[in-house]
Amino acid sequence: MTTPTIASRPAEELYAERLSRYVTAMRNGTPDRVPLRPLAAEITGKYAGFTCQEITHDYNKAFEAVIRCCKDFEWDAVVPNMVYVWTGLTEAIGLRYYGVPGIHVGPDVGFQYREPSDDNAFMRREEYDELIEDPVRFLYETWLPRVSTEVSAKGQPASYRNNLSFVKGGMAMLGYFNAFGPQVERMRRECGTPSSICGMLKAPLDILADKLRGYVALAFDLMEIPDKVLGACQALMPHLAWLALSSADPSGTLPIPIWMHRGCTPFISRDQFETIYWPTLRPVFDALWARGNQVLMYAEGKWDAHLERFAELPARSVVFHLDRTDPAAAHRILGSKFCLSGGVPNALLAFGSPGEVKQHCQHLIESIGAEGGYIMDASAIIQNDATIENVRAMTDATLACGVYRSPSSPSPTPEPPPVTPGLPAWVTAPKIRPGVCFPFEEKLKGMPPISGDPQIVRAVWDNIESLAYLYIWHVLLSF
């Protein structure tokens, strides 16, 4: 009997097989083979024949590029659009911190973050207390006018362009986010490929460094006013937790990613990690795991110094991604509790030969993936400097060397994580609770007496408030 080829098998059959393989590995189990989960960004456009300008400025082309890769590569899970930042939206808002392909940089250069100087940080040192008092108001009133070419500064009259930026930005964000559902369904229906992640999480200290103070200014703050930095991280934490909990996969199947990059050596000291970074991040991890959601710790940089601390997390609660962390050390310290992913250097994918890529992948499978609990991927997001031949070599090596058992032999069903419904008290504790910008209690002060059911009025108010809340936080976190 002839074994059916991938192309001839029903998409739903492929989808079920790949999702089972992916989930089993994430739960630190042993599937039939090592799963492939490349976080492929601009490389998808390169494969599909699109420029960086095309896939960052036209998200439909970015979606199409992913579909073409899903059809032509035997990947087990992918991000629906790893380029993610839609520069049509960033231009509608007028965000200053992006170098947009085809506008500020060349059309075949990936979008760039332009970090402000210490003197021009988007949040001034003397504004920590303002941020701590009410993060949402600070973002709308102070931060957004500074990062936008369109939004009027606090105290200045609203302009035509100011008003347009909110309408265009809000409608664009809604349209873009709503387009992900059909893209995920298309991946499943046409390709049999699951989405690999769901939701958004960043560490409070990373937010300060990325979009508020800038890294240089924050480095001085950590040395000179660490209490203010800690206070700001504590103020941001409930909001970041609320956003993570509300966006995580409700079924608990897919992990929520956290893009970790400013908390590792040598950006901050071990003491700063222990007193500021980790205490304002670990509770979010615990809250997500209590709801049954794993975290994909996309640990950009070298995190060897903190592996022992990560080992204290509950077993199976995270997937630890290897960028520059020593794979052998991570396997020794974390491998018995958590799945590992990545470890194929991006420089190798860009400048190595297919033979060297295959050799490296085989070594990873035999050393840290020999007993399961490993997912093949590059060390960092795959951009257009990687060669198509080397990405294919990574794929082929995994298919050839990563087999544990026959696909017809069932994989052990991983135990479901424990689930605790509801939100931790500390998430809802702030004076203005996460999820709203202008509380209903304040709205009531200017309203006539409600003759009907006040809960109906409040429910609708809070629901619409949440859209304004999501808008500003996703501008900060996602764009």
Side-chain angles (χ1 to χ4, degrees):
M1 182 176 178
T2 304
T3 302
T5 63
I6 290 293
S8 66
R9 293 174 60 192
E12 280 299 321
E13 181 181 314
L14 285 171
Y15 181 88
E17 179 181 293
R18 288 167 173 167
L19 184 61
S20 174
R21 178 180 299 131
Y22 182 45
V23 172
T24 299
M26 286 194 295
R27 303 296 191 264
N28 209 28
T30 306
D32 60 314
R33 68 160 171 81
V34 172
L36 281 151
R37 184 220 59 204
L39 294 193
E42 285 84 359
I43 186 65
T44 63
K46 181 178 181 178
Y47 181 76
F50 298 135
T51 65
C52 289
Q53 180 182 14
E54 288 178 288
I55 59 172
T56 54
H57 222 63
D58 183 348
Y59 64 77
N60 287 305
K61 288 186 176 180
F63 285 164
E64 180 61 32
V66 171
I67 293 294
R68 293 190 195 181
C69 287
C70 286
K71 288 181 177 179
D72 292 353
F73 292 89
E74 197 171 335
W75 294 341
D76 294 294
V78 299
V79 179
N81 177 17
M82 192 64 246
V83 177
Y84 197 77
V85 172
W86 174 32
T87 56
L89 186 151
T90 67
E91 285 298 288
I93 302 172
L95 295 179
R96 300 177 187 274
Y97 47 75
Y98 278 109
V100 177
I103 299 178
H104 309 105
V105 296
D108 224 359
V109 176
F111 67 85
Q112 305 290 303
Y113 284 97
R114 299 188 291 188
E115 186 158 312
S117 65
D118 184 8
D119 294 337
N120 294 302
F122 300 131
M123 172 182 145
R124 313 291 191 243
R125 175 179 278 199
E126 61 271 18
E127 292 169 342
Y128 268 100
D129 288 339
E130 186 182 343
L131 173 70
I132 292 168
E133 175 67 17
D134 189 342
V136 181
R137 180 180 289 274
F138 175 81
L139 291 174
Y140 265 115
E141 285 191 345
T142 303
W143 176 78
L144 187 57
R146 288 193 186 136
V147 300
S148 170
T149 60
E150 310 297 298
V151 177
S152 301
K154 183 166 58 174
Q156 296 298 313
S159 66
Y160 179 55
R161 289 175 61 173
N162 170 88
N163 297 342
L164 279 177
S165 76
F166 286 104
V167 175
K168 290 164 61 179
M171 296 296 285
M173 186 180 291
L174 191 64
Y176 182 42
F177 284 174
N178 284 340
F180 274 83
Q183 168 72 351
V184 170
E185 180 58 29
R186 188 182 175 199
M187 286 162 48
R188 176 173 184 158
R189 184 181 67 255
E190 295 184 19
C191 314
T193 307
S195 177
S196 57
I197 56 176
C198 182
M200 170 66 74
L201 174 61
K202 287 188 179 179
L205 191 72
D206 283 342
I207 294 298
L208 283 175
D210 289 349
K211 298 285 185 69
L212 295 172
R213 292 291 288 140
Y215 175 68
V216 174
L218 181 63
F220 283 104
D221 295 347
L222 283 165
M223 296 300 295
E224 296 169 358
I225 52 169
D227 290 346
K228 293 294 184 183
V229 177
L230 176 59
C233 290
Q234 290 170 334
L236 290 169
M237 182 174 68
H239 297 279
L240 299 178
W242 191 92
L243 288 158
L245 290 162
S246 61
S247 65
D249 183 359
S251 73
T253 304
L254 302 179
I256 183 168
I258 176 169
W259 314 105
M260 301 167 60
H261 44 278
R262 305 277 190 161
C264 66
T265 305
F267 287 113
I268 65 173
S269 69
R270 185 187 293 267
D271 180 66
Q272 290 161 348
F273 175 90
E274 293 289 349
T275 57
I276 298 176
Y277 188 91
W278 193 233
T280 57
L281 181 58
R282 167 71 192 263
V284 185
F285 280 35
D286 290 337
L288 285 161
W289 185 237
R291 290 269 295 272
N293 294 108
Q294 282 184 303
V295 174
L296 168 58
M297 296 179 70
Y298 203 78
E300 298 169 301
K302 186 177 179 64
W303 291 82
D304 299 58
H306 308 302
L307 294 177
E308 296 286 355
R309 181 64 71 221
F310 298 152
E312 297 172 0
L313 291 164
R316 300 183 293 117
S317 63
V318 302
V319 176
F320 187 82
H321 185 80
L322 301 162
D323 178 14
R324 298 189 180 187
T325 302
D326 178 18
H331 181 62
R332 183 182 74 254
I333 297 170
L334 304 178
S336 64
K337 297 182 72 174
F338 309 123
C339 171
L340 304 178
S341 70
V344 181
N346 290 66
L348 183 63
L349 292 175
F351 304 113
S353 68
E356 290 171 325
V357 171
K358 288 183 178 180
Q359 184 178 19
H360 190 88
C361 292
Q362 183 175 355
H363 172 72
L364 287 171
I365 291 169
E366 292 174 351
S367 58
I368 66 174
E371 298 176 354
Y374 174 65
I375 297 170
M376 182 63 71
D377 193 1
S379 294
I381 293 169
I382 309 175
Q383 299 181 302
N384 61 340
D385 55 347
T387 68
I388 302 299
E389 294 76 15
N390 283 343
V391 172
R392 192 175 296 281
M394 181 177 73
T395 303
D396 292 344
T398 307
L399 299 178
C401 305
V403 177
Y404 297 114
R405 63 170 67 86
S406 167
S408 60
S409 301
S411 301
T413 303
E415 296 181 10
V419 176
T420 303
L423 297 173
W426 59 265
V427 174
T428 57
K431 180 175 62 177
I432 298 178
R433 61 185 174 83
V436 300
C437 303
F438 189 70
F440 184 67
E441 291 79 8
E442 293 299 314
K443 171 69 173 175
L444 274 177
K445 295 176 182 178
M447 292 178 65
I450 297 176
S451 59
D453 186 347
Q455 292 307 313
I456 295 176
V457 182
R458 176 171 194 144
V460 174
W461 177 265
D462 285 351
N463 184 55
I464 297 173
E465 273 287 307
S466 70
L467 298 178
Y469 181 89
L470 290 173
Y471 175 77
I472 192 63
W473 283 100
H474 275 295
V475 173
L476 180 72
L477 287 171
S478 305
F479 298 102

